[in-house]
């Protein structure tokens, strides 16, 4: 062989060796760590590690076809991991065998600078039990790992053509107030129900609620709202109530509240959804309206409310609005929602904040002026979502217990997206979060028992 051929052979040998070396990713070290949700294995290398993983009920095998390694027994101080070994699998390959005490979920991902392969073995048992509870209505119980924590959640999916409608109702019975969601939904023969709007201790509904074109509650703060007309279902943002009363003498006044406690300088409307009377004291003026005319005026308080009538109640600086009214005077009431499309719907129920909009996460806590105790932290949550095909989703995740960590609002948005929602909004959460089917509470309310709530959303047979 001449010198030229020898030089060419050497060059070729170097190229082959360099090419082989470039694809080799020897495992230089292996480390483990344990936290409440998982056991982590970290494999260090000088280059990216190729892998292929398989799992069975007894463990996880991670094949490393381009990575050599020295045999190493790995002891993990955790009851889920029975043992692990890193061993050769041929001349230039190896594998990591992780023996587990039960069937565990896992996740594998690579990191750079320096190169590492990370294997997370979760001690959380993943459960998904789905069943049909009625035509077009499916219920799913889920125990899942999310963001390294265990959650337990409940999902109702109602297809667009299911013979059921979702309607708002008072958990106190026939009138506003607070009561058991399970008992109230069962008394109405509802297939299922979730809690909905925010409220205060006396049942004051925080948010706008409309049912069969009649308003049950109002809120001038723009909030995300579920709205429906038959099988057409939508989620709108920035929906607020506007109520204007026209009085004799070409006077107009905006309502400050509806079906709630009358406070200082207030101007409130009470209708048949509130109760049989206004429950007010004598320090105001009240006028009862029927068919656009005044039928009674009183300064005694606690005026009666009959079906087909409503009462205007004024206090303090608002009293002059009603003080001069006489029986027979004409009074007009113009009520609307600021979102024109939502205003055309038969049903509207405000919650907040918005979670998803057109398939993207858009958590609007600041825009909807959501209180800090709701906006921050991980809690039990209730949400409503819509899929692109019109499927309605009712979702409740437990929290504040050892079996379920709850979710932040951003995590709730991510999870609803994972479940297939296209649009979604949040409802009242914490101890109020609840789902029941045929009067049976499915989740574990964080108070340890049902919290008496104000408003619910329930499935009723379509008429």
């Amino acid at each position: 062989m001449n010198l030229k051929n020898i030089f060419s052979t050497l060059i070729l040998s170097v190229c082959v060796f360099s090419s082989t070396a470039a694809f080799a990713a020897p495992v230089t070290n292996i480390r483990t760590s344990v936290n409440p949700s998982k056991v982590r294995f970290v494999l260090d290398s000088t280059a990216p590690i190729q892998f292929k993983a398989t799992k069975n009920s007894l463990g996880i095998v991670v094949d490393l076809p381009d990575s050599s390694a020295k045999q190493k027994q790995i002891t993990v101080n955790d009851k889920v991991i029975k043992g692990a070994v890193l061993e050769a699998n041929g001349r230039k390959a190896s594998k990591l065998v992780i023996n587990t005490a039960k069937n565990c979920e896992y996740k594998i991902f690579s990191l750079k600078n320096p190169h590492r392969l990370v294997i997370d073995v979760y001690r959380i048992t993943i459960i998904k039990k789905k069943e049909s509870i009625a035509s077009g209505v499916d219920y799913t119980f889920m125990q899942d790992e999310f963001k390294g924590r265990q959650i337990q959640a409940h999902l109702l999916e109602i297809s667009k053509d299911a013979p059921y409608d979702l309607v708002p109702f008072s958990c106190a019975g026939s009138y506003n107030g607070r009561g058991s969601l399970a008992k109230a939904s069962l008394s109405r023969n509802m297939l299922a129900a979730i809690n909905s709007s925010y409220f205060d201790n006396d049942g004051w509904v925080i948010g706008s609620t409309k049912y069969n074109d009649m308003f049950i509650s109002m809120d001038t703060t723009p909030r995300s709202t579920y709205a429906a007309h038959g099988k057409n279902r939508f989620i709108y943002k920035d929906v607020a109530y506007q109520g204007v009363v026209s009085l004799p003498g070409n006077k107009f006044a905006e309502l400050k509240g509806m079906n709630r406690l009358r406070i200082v300088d207030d101007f409130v409307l009470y209708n048949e959804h509130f109760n049989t009377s206004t429950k007010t004291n004598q320090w105001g003026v009240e006028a009862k309206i029927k068919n656009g005319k005044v039928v009674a005026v009183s300064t005694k308080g606690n005026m009666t409310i009959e079906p087909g009538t409503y009462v205007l109640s004024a206090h303090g600086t608002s009293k002059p609005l009603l003080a001069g009214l006489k029986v027979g005077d004409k009074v007009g009431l113009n009520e609307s929602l600021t979102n024109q499309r939502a205003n055309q719907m038969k049903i509207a129920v405000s919650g907040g904040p918005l979670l998803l909009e057109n398939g993207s996460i858009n958590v609007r806590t600041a825009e909807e002026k959501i209180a800090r105790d709701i906006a921050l932290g991980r809690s039990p949550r209730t949400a409503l979502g819509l899929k692109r095909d019109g499927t309605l989703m009712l979702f409740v995740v437990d929290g504040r217990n050892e079996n379920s960590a709850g979710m932040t609002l951003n995590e709730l948005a991510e999870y609803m997206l994972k479940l297939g929602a296209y649009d979604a909004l949040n409802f009242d959460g914490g101890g109020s979060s609840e789902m029941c089917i045929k009067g049976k509470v499915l989740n574990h309310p964080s108070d340890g028992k049902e919290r008496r709530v104000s408003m619910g959303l329930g499935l009723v047979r379509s008429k």
Side-chain angles (χ1 to χ4, degrees):
M1 181 181 293
N2 59 34
L3 185 61
K4 182 178 180 180
N5 290 336
I6 293 173
F7 182 74
S8 297
T9 302
L10 286 172
I11 293 294
L12 180 61
S13 299
V14 169
C15 289
V16 170
F17 176 80
S18 298
S19 176
T20 302
F23 286 98
V27 177
T28 58
N29 189 34
I30 183 166
R31 297 170 282 128
T32 62
S33 63
V34 178
N35 71 31
S37 68
K38 62 181 178 285
V39 177
R40 171 166 286 186
F41 295 82
V42 181
L43 278 63
D44 296 323
S45 180
T46 56
I49 300 176
Q50 303 299 316
F51 67 90
K52 180 181 179 181
T54 56
K55 178 175 79 77
N56 57 40
S57 60
L58 299 178
I60 302 161
V61 177
V62 184
D63 287 303
L64 310 170
D66 298 317
S67 300
S68 59
K70 294 181 179 179
Q71 175 115 357
K72 184 175 183 179
Q73 293 286 338
I74 305 150
T75 302
V76 180
N77 186 24
D78 186 88
K79 62 182 180 181
V80 169
I81 306 298
K82 296 172 67 175
V85 59
L86 180 65
E87 58 186 29
N89 190 27
R91 190 168 64 90
K92 297 180 180 180
S94 61
K95 63 181 178 180
L96 174 65
V97 180
I98 303 170
N99 297 312
T100 57
K102 63 177 184 177
N103 193 356
C104 295
E105 298 299 317
Y106 69 97
K107 181 167 65 176
I108 303 180
F109 57 95
S110 298
L111 296 174
K112 297 179 179 179
N113 300 320
H115 293 290
R116 289 152 289 163
L117 186 69
V118 180
I119 303 99
D120 284 337
V121 181
Y122 294 97
R123 58 171 53 84
I124 297 164
T125 301
I126 307 300
I127 301 171
K128 185 176 181 180
K129 294 181 180 178
K130 185 174 182 177
E131 61 178 305
S132 174
I133 62 169
S135 176
V137 183
D138 292 330
Y139 162 71
T140 304
F141 167 76
M142 292 170 286
Q143 179 170 286
D144 201 358
E145 178 278 323
F146 192 64
K147 302 292 184 180
R149 297 175 174 86
Q150 179 171 300
I151 60 162
Q152 290 184 343
H154 307 263
L155 174 67
L156 276 172
E157 295 176 284
I158 304 98
S159 67
K160 190 170 183 178
D161 57 357
Y164 290 91
D165 296 322
L166 188 69
V167 302
F169 65 97
S170 170
C171 295
S174 300
Y175 305 110
N176 279 20
R178 296 173 62 195
S180 161
L181 178 83
K183 291 179 181 178
S185 61
L186 185 62
S187 69
R188 289 171 168 82
N189 199 31
M190 291 177 164
L191 175 65
I194 58 168
N195 68 294
S196 58
S197 304
Y198 299 102
F199 61 94
D200 73 355
N201 288 335
D202 70 354
W204 177 342
V205 180
I206 302 170
S208 300
T209 309
K210 182 171 71 168
Y211 182 35
N212 285 339
D213 285 332
M214 178 179 282
F215 283 94
I216 299 171
S217 65
M218 61 154 281
D219 196 339
T220 56
T221 302
R223 299 191 186 279
S224 300
T225 298
Y226 168 71
H229 190 154
K231 300 301 181 184
N232 298 311
R233 301 159 176 161
F234 305 94
I235 292 174
Y236 299 114
K237 62 183 179 183
D238 297 332
V239 179
Y241 171 91
Q242 292 177 327
V244 178
V245 177
S246 58
L247 299 160
N250 201 31
K251 293 190 297 184
F252 299 89
E254 290 189 8
L255 289 169
K256 297 181 179 180
M258 178 186 296
N259 292 338
R260 61 160 173 76
L261 177 70
R262 189 187 66 194
I263 57 178
V264 176
D265 299 328
D266 222 345
F267 185 44
V268 186
L269 180 147
Y270 297 98
N271 61 32
E272 59 193 74
H273 286 282
F274 179 70
N275 212 299
T276 55
S277 66
T278 61
K279 301 182 180 181
T280 54
N281 59 32
Q282 71 272 28
W283 308 114
V285 180
E286 295 187 326
K288 186 184 301 184
I289 316 299
K290 184 175 183 179
N291 297 327
K293 291 184 178 181
V294 177
V295 295
V297 180
S298 174
T299 58
K300 296 179 181 180
N302 200 30
M303 181 173 270
T304 60
I305 311 168
E306 294 82 24
T309 71
Y310 64 89
V311 174
L312 298 172
S313 185
H315 178 273
T317 57
S318 296
K319 285 172 65 174
L321 293 170
L322 305 180
L325 284 181
K326 298 180 180 62
V327 173
D329 284 346
K330 291 183 178 180
V331 173
L333 175 62
N334 188 329
E335 299 178 285
S336 63
L337 294 172
T338 54
N339 182 295
Q340 185 176 359
R341 293 182 67 190
N343 193 52
Q344 296 170 348
M345 301 291 110
K346 294 285 185 182
I347 292 171
V349 181
S350 293
L354 188 73
L355 299 171
L356 301 176
E357 183 178 17
N358 299 329
S360 297
I361 293 173
N362 185 13
V363 181
R364 293 165 53 86
T365 51
E367 296 88 340
E368 299 186 30
K369 299 180 181 178
I370 301 300
R372 287 175 59 84
D373 62 326
I374 299 168
L376 303 177
R378 190 171 281 105
S379 300
R381 304 283 183 182
T382 299
L384 182 150
L386 291 169
K387 294 185 177 181
R388 295 198 71 166
D389 64 2
T391 298
L392 177 63
M393 307 167 69
L394 306 180
F395 179 79
V396 169
V397 59
D398 278 328
R400 301 174 183 164
N401 67 55
E402 63 181 11
N403 294 315
S404 190
M407 291 181 176
T408 66
L409 288 173
N410 276 83
E411 288 172 351
L412 180 61
E414 287 184 53
Y415 203 78
M416 291 297 287
L417 191 64
K418 174 185 173 181
L419 292 175
Y422 188 67
D423 295 298
L425 81 159
N426 179 65
F427 279 124
D428 192 13
S432 299
S433 283
E434 183 179 342
M435 178 182 288
C436 55
I437 293 179
K438 297 178 181 178
K440 180 181 178 182
V441 180
L442 301 180
N443 66 308
H444 294 87
S446 61
D447 289 351
K449 60 181 180 180
E450 263 194 297
R451 176 179 291 181
R452 295 170 67 248
V453 298
S454 182
M455 296 296 297
L457 279 166
L459 288 176
V460 298
R461 293 285 299 188
S462 304
K463 295 180 180 179

CSV table of all heavy atoms in Angstrom, one decimal, residues 374-398:
chain,number,residue,atom,x,y,z
A,374,ILE,N,-60.4,34.2,45.7
A,374,ILE,CA,-60.8,33.3,44.6
A,374,ILE,C,-59.7,33.2,43.5
A,374,ILE,O,-59.4,32.1,43.0
A,374,ILE,CB,-62.1,33.8,43.9
A,374,ILE,CG1,-63.2,33.9,45.0
A,374,ILE,CG2,-62.5,33.0,42.7
A,374,ILE,CD1,-64.5,34.6,44.5
A,375,ALA,N,-59.1,34.3,43.2
A,375,ALA,CA,-58.1,34.4,42.1
A,375,ALA,C,-56.8,33.7,42.4
A,375,ALA,O,-56.2,33.2,41.5
A,375,ALA,CB,-57.8,35.9,41.8
A,376,LEU,N,-56.4,33.6,43.7
A,376,LEU,CA,-55.1,33.1,44.1
A,376,LEU,C,-55.3,31.7,44.8
A,376,LEU,O,-56.3,31.4,45.4
A,376,LEU,CB,-54.4,34.1,45.0
A,376,LEU,CG,-54.2,35.5,44.5
A,376,LEU,CD1,-53.5,36.4,45.5
A,376,LEU,CD2,-53.4,35.5,43.2
A,377,GLY,N,-54.2,31.0,44.7
A,377,GLY,CA,-54.2,29.7,45.4
A,377,GLY,C,-54.9,28.5,44.7
A,377,GLY,O,-55.5,28.7,43.7
A,378,ARG,N,-54.7,27.4,45.4
A,378,ARG,CA,-55.2,26.1,44.8
A,378,ARG,C,-56.4,25.7,45.7
A,378,ARG,O,-56.3,25.6,46.9
A,378,ARG,CB,-54.1,25.1,44.9
A,378,ARG,CG,-54.4,23.8,44.2
A,378,ARG,CD,-53.2,22.9,44.1
A,378,ARG,NE,-52.3,23.3,43.0
A,378,ARG,CZ,-51.2,24.0,43.2
A,378,ARG,NH1,-50.8,24.2,44.4
A,378,ARG,NH2,-50.4,24.4,42.2
A,379,SER,N,-57.5,25.5,45.1
A,379,SER,CA,-58.8,25.3,45.8
A,379,SER,C,-59.7,24.3,45.0
A,379,SER,O,-59.4,24.0,43.9
A,379,SER,CB,-59.6,26.6,45.9
A,379,SER,OG,-58.9,27.6,46.6
A,380,PRO,N,-60.7,23.8,45.7
A,380,PRO,CA,-61.8,23.1,44.9
A,380,PRO,C,-62.4,24.0,43.9
A,380,PRO,O,-62.5,25.2,44.2
A,380,PRO,CB,-62.8,22.7,46.0
A,380,PRO,CG,-62.0,22.8,47.3
A,380,PRO,CD,-61.0,23.8,47.1
A,381,ARG,N,-62.7,23.6,42.8
A,381,ARG,CA,-63.2,24.4,41.7
A,381,ARG,C,-64.4,23.8,41.0
A,381,ARG,O,-64.5,22.6,40.9
A,381,ARG,CB,-62.1,24.7,40.6
A,381,ARG,CG,-60.8,25.3,41.2
A,381,ARG,CD,-61.0,26.8,41.5
A,381,ARG,NE,-59.7,27.3,41.9
A,381,ARG,CZ,-59.5,28.6,42.3
A,381,ARG,NH1,-60.5,29.5,42.3
A,381,ARG,NH2,-58.3,29.0,42.7
A,382,THR,N,-65.3,24.7,40.5
A,382,THR,CA,-66.4,24.3,39.6
A,382,THR,C,-66.3,25.1,38.3
A,382,THR,O,-66.1,26.3,38.3
A,382,THR,CB,-67.8,24.6,40.3
A,382,THR,OG1,-67.9,23.9,41.5
A,382,THR,CG2,-68.9,24.2,39.4
A,383,ALA,N,-66.4,24.4,37.2
A,383,ALA,CA,-66.3,25.1,35.9
A,383,ALA,C,-67.4,24.5,34.9
A,383,ALA,O,-67.9,23.4,35.1
A,383,ALA,CB,-64.9,24.9,35.3
A,384,LEU,N,-67.6,25.3,33.9
A,384,LEU,CA,-68.5,24.9,32.8
A,384,LEU,C,-67.8,25.2,31.5
A,384,LEU,O,-67.1,26.2,31.3
A,384,LEU,CB,-69.8,25.8,32.9
A,384,LEU,CG,-70.9,25.5,31.8
A,384,LEU,CD1,-72.3,25.7,32.3
A,384,LEU,CD2,-70.7,26.3,30.5
A,385,GLY,N,-67.8,24.2,30.6
A,385,GLY,CA,-67.1,24.3,29.4
A,385,GLY,C,-68.0,23.9,28.2
A,385,GLY,O,-69.0,23.2,28.4
A,386,LEU,N,-67.6,24.3,27.0
A,386,LEU,CA,-68.2,23.9,25.8
A,386,LEU,C,-67.2,23.4,24.8
A,386,LEU,O,-66.1,24.0,24.6
A,386,LEU,CB,-69.0,25.1,25.2
A,386,LEU,CG,-70.2,25.6,25.9
A,386,LEU,CD1,-70.7,27.0,25.3
A,386,LEU,CD2,-71.3,24.6,25.8
A,387,LYS,N,-67.5,22.3,24.2
A,387,LYS,CA,-66.6,21.8,23.1
A,387,LYS,C,-67.1,22.4,21.8
A,387,LYS,O,-68.2,23.0,21.7
A,387,LYS,CB,-66.7,20.2,23.0
A,387,LYS,CG,-66.1,19.5,24.3
A,387,LYS,CD,-66.1,18.0,24.1
A,387,LYS,CE,-65.5,17.3,25.3
A,387,LYS,NZ,-65.5,15.9,25.1
A,388,ARG,N,-66.2,22.2,20.8
A,388,ARG,CA,-66.6,22.8,19.5
A,388,ARG,C,-67.8,22.2,18.9
A,388,ARG,O,-68.5,22.9,18.1
A,388,ARG,CB,-65.4,22.7,18.5
A,388,ARG,CG,-64.1,23.5,19.0
A,388,ARG,CD,-63.2,23.7,17.9
A,388,ARG,NE,-63.6,24.6,16.9
A,388,ARG,CZ,-62.9,25.2,15.9
A,388,ARG,NH1,-61.6,24.9,15.8
A,388,ARG,NH2,-63.4,26.0,15.1
A,389,ASP,N,-68.1,20.9,19.2
A,389,ASP,CA,-69.3,20.3,18.7
A,389,ASP,C,-70.5,20.6,19.4
A,389,ASP,O,-71.6,20.0,19.1
A,389,ASP,CB,-69.0,18.8,18.6
A,389,ASP,CG,-68.9,18.1,19.9
A,389,ASP,OD1,-69.0,18.8,21.0
A,389,ASP,OD2,-68.7,16.9,20.0
A,390,GLY,N,-70.5,21.5,20.4
A,390,GLY,CA,-71.6,21.9,21.2
A,390,GLY,C,-71.9,21.1,22.5
A,390,GLY,O,-72.8,21.3,23.2
A,391,THR,N,-71.0,20.1,22.7
A,391,THR,CA,-71.1,19.3,24.0
A,391,THR,C,-70.9,20.2,25.2
A,391,THR,O,-69.9,21.0,25.2
A,391,THR,CB,-70.0,18.2,24.0
A,391,THR,OG1,-70.3,17.3,22.9
A,391,THR,CG2,-70.1,17.4,25.3
A,392,LEU,N,-71.8,20.1,26.1
A,392,LEU,CA,-71.7,20.9,27.4
A,392,LEU,C,-70.9,20.1,28.4
A,392,LEU,O,-71.1,18.9,28.6
A,392,LEU,CB,-73.1,21.2,27.8
A,392,LEU,CG,-73.3,21.9,29.2
A,392,LEU,CD1,-72.7,23.3,29.1
A,392,LEU,CD2,-74.8,22.0,29.5
A,393,MET,N,-70.0,20.7,29.1
A,393,MET,CA,-69.2,20.1,30.1
A,393,MET,C,-69.4,20.7,31.5
A,393,MET,O,-69.2,22.0,31.6
A,393,MET,CB,-67.7,20.2,29.7
A,393,MET,CG,-67.4,19.7,28.3
A,393,MET,SD,-65.7,20.2,27.8
A,393,MET,CE,-64.7,19.2,28.9
A,394,LEU,N,-69.7,19.9,32.5
A,394,LEU,CA,-69.8,20.4,33.9
A,394,LEU,C,-68.7,19.7,34.6
A,394,LEU,O,-68.6,18.5,34.6
A,394,LEU,CB,-71.2,20.1,34.4
A,394,LEU,CG,-72.4,20.6,33.6
A,394,LEU,CD1,-73.7,20.2,34.3
A,394,LEU,CD2,-72.4,22.1,33.4
A,395,PHE,N,-67.9,20.5,35.3
A,395,PHE,CA,-66.7,19.9,35.9
A,395,PHE,C,-66.5,20.4,37.4
A,395,PHE,O,-66.7,21.6,37.7
A,395,PHE,CB,-65.5,20.4,35.1
A,395,PHE,CG,-64.2,19.9,35.6
A,395,PHE,CD1,-63.7,18.6,35.4
A,395,PHE,CD2,-63.3,20.7,36.4
A,395,PHE,CE1,-62.5,18.1,35.9
A,395,PHE,CE2,-62.1,20.3,36.8
A,395,PHE,CZ,-61.7,19.0,36.6
A,396,VAL,N,-66.2,19.5,38.3
A,396,VAL,CA,-65.9,19.8,39.7
A,396,VAL,C,-64.7,19.0,40.1
A,396,VAL,O,-64.6,17.8,39.9
A,396,VAL,CB,-67.1,19.4,40.6
A,396,VAL,CG1,-66.7,19.5,42.1
A,396,VAL,CG2,-68.3,20.3,40.3
A,397,VAL,N,-63.7,19.8,40.6
A,397,VAL,CA,-62.5,19.1,41.2
A,397,VAL,C,-62.4,19.4,42.7
A,397,VAL,O,-62.7,20.5,43.1
A,397,VAL,CB,-61.2,19.6,40.5
A,397,VAL,CG1,-61.0,21.1,40.6
A,397,VAL,CG2,-60.0,18.9,41.0
A,398,ASP,N,-62.2,18.3,43.4
A,398,ASP,CA,-62.1,18.5,44.9
A,398,ASP,C,-60.7,19.1,45.2
A,398,ASP,O,-59.8,19.1,44.4
A,398,ASP,CB,-62.2,17.1,45.6
A,398,ASP,CG,-63.7,16.7,45.7
A,398,ASP,OD1,-64.5,17.6,45.9
A,398,ASP,OD2,-64.0,15.5,45.7
